[in-house]
PDB file of all heavy atoms in Angstrom:
ATOM      1  N   ALA A 199      12.855 -12.207  -3.139  1.00 96.00           N
ATOM      2  CA  ALA A 199      11.990 -12.970  -2.233  1.00 96.00           C
ATOM      3  C   ALA A 199      12.714 -13.173  -0.907  1.00 96.00           C
ATOM      4  O   ALA A 199      13.821 -13.716  -0.867  1.00 96.00           O
ATOM      5  CB  ALA A 199      11.640 -14.319  -2.849  1.00 96.00           C
ATOM      6  N   ASP A 200      12.093 -12.729   0.159  1.00 97.00           N
ATOM      7  CA  ASP A 200      12.607 -12.957   1.512  1.00 97.00           C
ATOM      8  C   ASP A 200      12.386 -14.445   1.802  1.00 97.00           C
ATOM      9  O   ASP A 200      11.244 -14.904   1.864  1.00 97.00           O
ATOM     10  CB  ASP A 200      11.800 -12.069   2.475  1.00 97.00           C
ATOM     11  CG  ASP A 200      12.440 -11.978   3.844  1.00 97.00           C
ATOM     12  OD1 ASP A 200      12.909 -13.011   4.348  1.00 97.00           O
ATOM     13  OD2 ASP A 200      12.439 -10.861   4.406  1.00 97.00           O
ATOM     14  N   SER A 201      13.483 -15.210   1.918  1.00 97.00           N
ATOM     15  CA  SER A 201      13.379 -16.667   1.845  1.00 97.00           C
ATOM     16  C   SER A 201      13.883 -17.352   3.112  1.00 97.00           C
ATOM     17  O   SER A 201      14.827 -16.870   3.751  1.00 97.00           O
ATOM     18  CB  SER A 201      14.174 -17.176   0.640  1.00 97.00           C
ATOM     19  OG  SER A 201      13.708 -16.534  -0.535  1.00 97.00           O
ATOM     20  N   PRO A 202      13.273 -18.503   3.445  1.00 97.00           N
ATOM     21  CA  PRO A 202      13.535 -19.149   4.736  1.00 97.00           C
ATOM     22  C   PRO A 202      14.717 -20.102   4.727  1.00 97.00           C
ATOM     23  O   PRO A 202      14.609 -21.249   5.145  1.00 97.00           O
ATOM     24  CB  PRO A 202      12.227 -19.901   5.006  1.00 97.00           C
ATOM     25  CG  PRO A 202      11.737 -20.262   3.636  1.00 97.00           C
ATOM     26  CD  PRO A 202      12.177 -19.172   2.717  1.00 97.00           C
ATOM     27  N   CYS A 203      15.881 -19.656   4.236  1.00 98.00           N
ATOM     28  CA  CYS A 203      17.068 -20.508   4.329  1.00 98.00           C
ATOM     29  C   CYS A 203      18.310 -19.647   4.306  1.00 98.00           C
ATOM     30  O   CYS A 203      18.272 -18.498   3.889  1.00 98.00           O
ATOM     31  CB  CYS A 203      17.108 -21.539   3.193  1.00 98.00           C
ATOM     32  SG  CYS A 203      17.241 -20.814   1.558  1.00 98.00           S
ATOM     33  N   ASN A 204      19.403 -20.227   4.737  1.00 98.00           N
ATOM     34  CA  ASN A 204      20.698 -19.558   4.671  1.00 98.00           C
ATOM     35  C   ASN A 204      21.075 -19.322   3.207  1.00 98.00           C
ATOM     36  O   ASN A 204      20.770 -20.149   2.343  1.00 98.00           O
ATOM     37  CB  ASN A 204      21.748 -20.438   5.354  1.00 98.00           C
ATOM     38  CG  ASN A 204      23.093 -19.759   5.462  1.00 98.00           C
ATOM     39  OD1 ASN A 204      23.938 -19.879   4.568  1.00 98.00           O
ATOM     40  ND2 ASN A 204      23.301 -19.015   6.536  1.00 98.00           N
ATOM     41  N   TRP A 205      21.779 -18.226   2.938  1.00 98.00           N
ATOM     42  CA  TRP A 205      22.131 -17.896   1.544  1.00 98.00           C
ATOM     43  C   TRP A 205      22.959 -18.997   0.887  1.00 98.00           C
ATOM     44  O   TRP A 205      22.854 -19.235  -0.318  1.00 98.00           O
ATOM     45  CB  TRP A 205      22.870 -16.542   1.488  1.00 98.00           C
ATOM     46  CG  TRP A 205      24.241 -16.558   2.098  1.00 98.00           C
ATOM     47  CD1 TRP A 205      24.565 -16.354   3.412  1.00 98.00           C
ATOM     48  CD2 TRP A 205      25.480 -16.795   1.422  1.00 98.00           C
ATOM     49  NE1 TRP A 205      25.931 -16.460   3.581  1.00 98.00           N
ATOM     50  CE2 TRP A 205      26.513 -16.722   2.382  1.00 98.00           C
ATOM     51  CE3 TRP A 205      25.819 -17.066   0.093  1.00 98.00           C
ATOM     52  CZ2 TRP A 205      27.858 -16.906   2.059  1.00 98.00           C
ATOM     53  CZ3 TRP A 205      27.165 -17.254  -0.224  1.00 98.00           C
ATOM     54  CH2 TRP A 205      28.158 -17.169   0.752  1.00 98.00           C
ATOM     55  N   LYS A 206      23.766 -19.733   1.679  1.00 98.00           N
ATOM     56  CA  LYS A 206      24.652 -20.746   1.084  1.00 98.00           C
ATOM     57  C   LYS A 206      23.890 -21.983   0.618  1.00 98.00           C
ATOM     58  O   LYS A 206      24.373 -22.729  -0.231  1.00 98.00           O
ATOM     59  CB  LYS A 206      25.735 -21.153   2.103  1.00 98.00           C
ATOM     60  CG  LYS A 206      26.700 -20.014   2.408  1.00 98.00           C
ATOM     61  CD  LYS A 206      27.823 -20.429   3.336  1.00 98.00           C
ATOM     62  CE  LYS A 206      27.365 -20.670   4.751  1.00 98.00           C
ATOM     63  NZ  LYS A 206      26.839 -19.471   5.449  1.00 98.00           N
ATOM     64  N   ILE A 207      22.697 -22.193   1.174  1.00 98.00           N
ATOM     65  CA  ILE A 207      21.888 -23.313   0.677  1.00 98.00           C
ATOM     66  C   ILE A 207      21.552 -23.061  -0.788  1.00 98.00           C
ATOM     67  O   ILE A 207      21.533 -23.982  -1.611  1.00 98.00           O
ATOM     68  CB  ILE A 207      20.629 -23.469   1.559  1.00 98.00           C
ATOM     69  CG1 ILE A 207      21.040 -24.168   2.853  1.00 98.00           C
ATOM     70  CG2 ILE A 207      19.522 -24.224   0.826  1.00 98.00           C
ATOM     71  CD1 ILE A 207      19.914 -24.465   3.809  1.00 98.00           C
ATOM     72  N   ILE A 208      21.339 -21.808  -1.125  1.00 98.00           N
ATOM     73  CA  ILE A 208      21.017 -21.477  -2.516  1.00 98.00           C
ATOM     74  C   ILE A 208      22.257 -21.529  -3.404  1.00 98.00           C
ATOM     75  O   ILE A 208      22.216 -22.078  -4.505  1.00 98.00           O
ATOM     76  CB  ILE A 208      20.293 -20.114  -2.570  1.00 98.00           C
ATOM     77  CG1 ILE A 208      18.917 -20.278  -1.897  1.00 98.00           C
ATOM     78  CG2 ILE A 208      20.157 -19.625  -4.005  1.00 98.00           C
ATOM     79  CD1 ILE A 208      18.082 -19.038  -1.833  1.00 98.00           C
ATOM     80  N   THR A 209      23.383 -21.027  -2.920  1.00 98.00           N
ATOM     81  CA  THR A 209      24.586 -21.131  -3.771  1.00 98.00           C
ATOM     82  C   THR A 209      25.004 -22.596  -3.934  1.00 98.00           C
ATOM     83  O   THR A 209      25.443 -22.998  -5.008  1.00 98.00           O
ATOM     84  CB  THR A 209      25.764 -20.280  -3.234  1.00 98.00           C
ATOM     85  OG1 THR A 209      25.961 -20.559  -1.852  1.00 98.00           O
ATOM     86  CG2 THR A 209      25.508 -18.805  -3.429  1.00 98.00           C
ATOM     87  N   ASP A 210      24.851 -23.396  -2.880  1.00 98.00           N
ATOM     88  CA  ASP A 210      25.145 -24.840  -3.018  1.00 98.00           C
ATOM     89  C   ASP A 210      24.286 -25.440  -4.135  1.00 98.00           C
ATOM     90  O   ASP A 210      24.761 -26.198  -4.978  1.00 98.00           O
ATOM     91  CB  ASP A 210      24.808 -25.602  -1.722  1.00 98.00           C
ATOM     92  CG  ASP A 210      25.795 -25.352  -0.582  1.00 98.00           C
ATOM     93  OD1 ASP A 210      26.827 -24.692  -0.807  1.00 98.00           O
ATOM     94  OD2 ASP A 210      25.510 -25.821   0.542  1.00 98.00           O
ATOM     95  N   ASN A 211      23.016 -25.084  -4.100  1.00 98.00           N
ATOM     96  CA  ASN A 211      22.064 -25.623  -5.085  1.00 98.00           C
ATOM     97  C   ASN A 211      22.511 -25.293  -6.512  1.00 98.00           C
ATOM     98  O   ASN A 211      22.447 -26.132  -7.408  1.00 98.00           O
ATOM     99  CB  ASN A 211      20.684 -25.022  -4.776  1.00 98.00           C
ATOM    100  CG  ASN A 211      19.634 -25.425  -5.784  1.00 98.00           C
ATOM    101  OD1 ASN A 211      19.430 -24.756  -6.781  1.00 98.00           O
ATOM    102  ND2 ASN A 211      18.963 -26.535  -5.544  1.00 98.00           N
ATOM    103  N   PHE A 212      23.000 -24.067  -6.710  1.00 97.00           N
ATOM    104  CA  PHE A 212      23.421 -23.669  -8.060  1.00 97.00           C
ATOM    105  C   PHE A 212      24.835 -24.129  -8.389  1.00 97.00           C
ATOM    106  O   PHE A 212      25.320 -23.911  -9.483  1.00 97.00           O
ATOM    107  CB  PHE A 212      23.290 -22.159  -8.237  1.00 97.00           C
ATOM    108  CG  PHE A 212      21.852 -21.718  -8.316  1.00 97.00           C
ATOM    109  CD1 PHE A 212      21.320 -20.860  -7.372  1.00 97.00           C
ATOM    110  CD2 PHE A 212      21.034 -22.168  -9.334  1.00 97.00           C
ATOM    111  CE1 PHE A 212      19.995 -20.465  -7.436  1.00 97.00           C
ATOM    112  CE2 PHE A 212      19.705 -21.786  -9.405  1.00 97.00           C
ATOM    113  CZ  PHE A 212      19.182 -20.930  -8.457  1.00 97.00           C
TER     114      PHE A 212
END
Side-chain angles (χ1 to χ4, degrees):
D200 193 318
S201 304
C203 63
N204 186 270
W205 69 273
K206 293 184 289 296
I207 282 183
I208 293 179
T209 50
D210 287 353
N211 176 270
F212 289 118

